[in-house]
Amino acid sequence: CIRDRINQTASLTWQTTSAGRVPVSDQFDDPYYSLKDGLAETQYVFLAGNDLPGRFGGDFHIGELGFGTGLNFLVTWDAWIRAGAKGQLRFTSFEAYPMAISDMQAALIAFPQLAHLAGIFLKKWAPDAGAIALADGVTLNVIIGDARQTLPAWNGAADAWYLDGFSPDKNPELWESALLIQVAKHTAIGGTAATYSAAGHVRRSLKAAGFDVKRIPGFGSKWHMAVARLPDAK
């Protein structure tokens, strides 16, 4: 039960691959990102899967289940800058097992193109930091605890969701139908969601929550992934 794990620091081991050392969760026996290319995976699954950066601008809010190393956030921040987006980028992530900053630093070394942004982020972030304002109108808020409790209590609505918990068979709590209903309830009209998982029960739960769901080609060796959109009229 995730409830028993709240506020515990992530425990991990390192796996050496052709792309460098990749952190693997001891709690869930699953890597934090692709063993081949974590940055490319984020760009493909979460940015392209949510039609980003094309939708950037104004007051744009991203929600995420599973903060992990912070890689998804940094790739998004980098894309926001590169797109020359105007306005505010808010990024809210829900995480039960925050990583130690030293582990984050070690993981993010693998992505030198993000080093400048990672340095700014790591100087300001801590599990109890709450919402932190970063450069370029970017705000990050990592909410620590069981998402089944913290997401219903959240008063925000995301324009795009990154559903990035560990695999559904190893971390089933983060893919429960009741939680995905909460994701829909905290999504702006016309908002989207994307996930590397194309598991049938995940797609059915998203559809039952009110999303229009599509299965599309996945990243790397994964055959499929899922993208979803909340219709303009509920």
Side-chain angles (χ1 to χ4, degrees):
C1 173
I2 291 181
R3 185 176 302 145
D4 299 329
R5 309 166 185 157
I6 294 174
N7 294 331
Q8 295 182 21
T9 301
S11 173
L12 55 88
T13 54
W14 296 89
Q15 181 172 337
T16 301
T17 73
S18 58
R21 295 169 72 239
V22 175
V24 178
S25 167
D26 292 338
Q27 285 95 346
F28 299 101
D29 187 29
D30 212 18
Y32 277 87
Y33 46 75
S34 170
L35 296 177
K36 294 184 177 179
D37 191 334
L39 191 151
E41 179 187 43
T42 293
Q43 292 173 329
Y44 182 90
V45 174
F46 298 116
L47 268 68
N50 281 292
D51 299 320
L52 304 176
R55 296 168 57 208
F56 281 160
D59 183 3
F60 197 84
H61 202 155
I62 291 173
E64 178 185 55
L65 295 184
F67 187 66
T69 64
L71 177 62
N72 292 342
F73 165 66
L74 293 173
V75 172
T76 302
W77 184 8
D78 182 63
W80 176 270
I81 294 170
R82 290 177 182 275
K86 304 298 182 183
Q88 300 288 318
L89 174 65
R90 291 184 290 157
F91 195 104
T92 301
S93 188
F94 297 82
E95 173 62 59
Y97 269 123
M99 289 182 74
I101 291 180
S102 59
D103 287 332
M104 283 186 171
Q105 289 173 326
L108 294 172
I109 286 172
F111 310 102
Q113 57 272 69
L114 300 173
H116 175 64
L117 300 182
I120 296 171
F121 154 65
L122 290 168
K123 285 180 181 178
K124 293 194 173 185
W125 184 81
D128 59 352
I132 56 174
L134 299 164
D136 306 311
V138 176
T139 301
L140 169 67
N141 187 15
V142 181
I143 299 174
I144 306 300
D146 185 339
R148 295 173 297 175
Q149 298 172 0
T150 57
L151 178 52
W154 184 51
N155 62 5
D159 299 290
W161 277 94
Y162 298 174
L163 305 181
D164 195 26
F166 292 108
S167 67
D169 13 340
K170 296 182 178 182
N171 184 202
E173 297 101 329
L174 218 55
W175 304 93
E176 291 178 354
S177 294
L179 183 56
L180 295 180
I181 288 172
Q182 288 298 321
V183 167
K185 287 182 177 180
H186 292 83
T187 301
I189 299 299
T192 60
T195 173
Y196 64 84
S197 176
H201 72 89
V202 171
R203 288 183 286 117
R204 288 190 296 271
S205 293
L206 286 168
K207 185 174 181 180
F211 286 100
D212 293 331
V213 184
K214 293 182 181 179
R215 189 176 68 169
I216 65 172
F219 174 78
S221 60
K222 294 181 180 178
W223 284 21
H224 299 106
M225 58 173 275
V227 295
R229 181 178 182 276
L230 199 65
D232 293 338
K234 289 187 177 179

